[in-house]
Amino acid sequence: MATALIDQNTIRRRGTGLRAYNPDKVFKGYTLFTPLTGNGEVYLLNLEGEVVHQWDLPYSPGLYGYLLPNGNLFYNGKTLDIPPHFPLWAAFKGGVVLEADPKGNIIWEYKHPSHHHDGRRLRNGNTILLAIEKIPQSLIPQIKGGVAGTEADGDIYADVLYEVTSAGEIVWTWHAHEHLDPEIFTITPQDQRHEWTHGNTVGELADGNIIVSFRNISTVVIVDRNTGEIIWTLGDDVLAQQHFPNELANGNILIFDNGAHRRHTALNFSRVIEVNRQTKEIVWEYADNPPQNFFSSYISGAQRLPNGNTLITEGAYGRIFEVTVTGEIVWEYVNPHFAARNLPGEKSPVARGEQNSVFRAFRYAPEKVPWL
């Protein structure tokens, strides 16, 4: 009797594709996701887990895409023709942002060698980018934390924001090192010192101000668009290497709190929290039971849906699921596309083996996809 081969990839062996679906409680629509190990494929799924549309873009993800109000795709892509700033740079670098129509035609594109993680279209039609730059040498001795001796050939990078017009002109710039106090914002002990801040999200709030997530210092900030001053922070007394803070209709902030290197507990677990912007109180939270059943140490995100449910991306494992306000899972899908990460020179453990990671996913109501 022949012995069946056992899939040695743990995540794939547990099952992929549609894993759960309660049609009475889900938010009706389509789910957009980009496999992080892909070559530029972006998929739109129906609730049955079937691909109803696909983009094939000329750049691998750097690191995701989302739909604009006009129905086009805004995509952060990765260029590989630029020397790395430091060995881990390839894991999250971008290099290009673009807008593509439903047929995949690129109708706008902008390249910047230091762009990474995120770029978003602003309401004024411009685009805001996350990028990095070297901080002044005089500031380096003041930067605390991190693994000693892991600077990038003596340099430390921090984030810089660029607002770019449709013509490619930079019209607004914000330098993180000019506004963050190194006495307060300390690199987590396990992270390398080639970066101080490691931004992973930039977004525009309803009042026009800018929200930014800094993973290496476990801090979310809101930047006054007019003055450049930081007017709101939520730090490592609450957060642990968080991703994707985004504003809800009620003004609160929804955050995927990854949970790596928490200050107050040794247990690694992720949660999604809704934070009152005025009081900084956590007014809603999703965590699994037991909590360690839900954990992604990096990437990931959460989106509040119009029916009150929340779509969550447990990014490291390619798991996208929807929960009700009471935490009941009503839809779950696991990315079936596995591949090795093509990261030349990459030394991080996250680059080893075939994986199905997803940086961020979104659900769209049918009227948001009128061309489908």
Side-chain angles (χ1 to χ4, degrees), residues 216-261:
N216 279 13
I217 57 175
S218 295
T219 299
V220 170
V221 306
I222 293 176
V223 176
D224 186 293
R225 186 81 163 275
N226 296 317
T227 67
E229 295 303 308
I230 293 174
I231 57 174
W232 189 88
T233 62
L234 191 68
D236 65 357
D237 55 332
V238 175
L239 303 171
Q241 304 214 315
Q242 74 295 322
H243 282 72
F244 196 38
N246 59 98
E247 186 179 31
L248 303 179
N250 61 9
N252 291 347
I253 306 296
L254 189 70
I255 303 171
F256 189 104
D257 183 26
N258 292 73
H261 317 315

Side-chain angles (χ1 to χ4, degrees), residues 66 74 76 85 89 94-97 108 110-135 157-166 168-179 199 201-204 210-212 214 223 225:
Y66 72 95
F74 189 96
N76 290 268
H85 294 290
W89 172 243
V96 60
V97 289
W108 179 83
Y110 175 78
K111 292 183 177 180
H112 194 287
S114 295
H115 160 246
H116 66 92
H117 278 94
D118 208 359
R120 308 276 283 280
R121 180 63 50 79
L122 300 172
R123 289 192 298 272
N124 64 6
N126 293 346
T127 295
I128 193 163
L129 304 179
L130 262 180
I132 62 169
E133 62 181 358
K134 294 178 181 178
I135 68 172
Y157 288 80
D159 288 282
V160 55
L161 307 181
Y162 296 120
E163 181 181 347
V164 183
T165 68
S166 58
E169 178 188 1
I170 295 175
V171 293
W172 185 80
T173 304
W174 185 85
H175 305 275
H177 76 264
E178 294 181 348
H179 299 278
T201 305
V202 62
E204 183 180 26
I210 302 298
I211 192 165
V212 191
F214 296 123
V223 176
R225 186 81 163 275

Side-chain angles (χ1 to χ4, degrees), residues 167-213:
E169 178 188 1
I170 295 175
V171 293
W172 185 80
T173 304
W174 185 85
H175 305 275
H177 76 264
E178 294 181 348
H179 299 278
L180 294 171
D181 184 349
E183 291 293 322
I184 299 173
F185 300 104
T186 301
I187 302 172
T188 47
Q190 298 88 346
D191 281 307
Q192 297 192 16
R193 286 176 55 85
H194 53 232
E195 283 183 282
W196 180 16
T197 49
H198 190 88
N200 56 43
T201 305
V202 62
E204 183 180 26
L205 301 178
D207 60 10
N209 292 325
I210 302 298
I211 192 165
V212 191
S213 171

Side-chain angles (χ1 to χ4, degrees), residues 262-268:
R262 288 194 190 279
R263 277 181 50 184
H264 307 296
T265 177
L267 181 66
N268 287 328

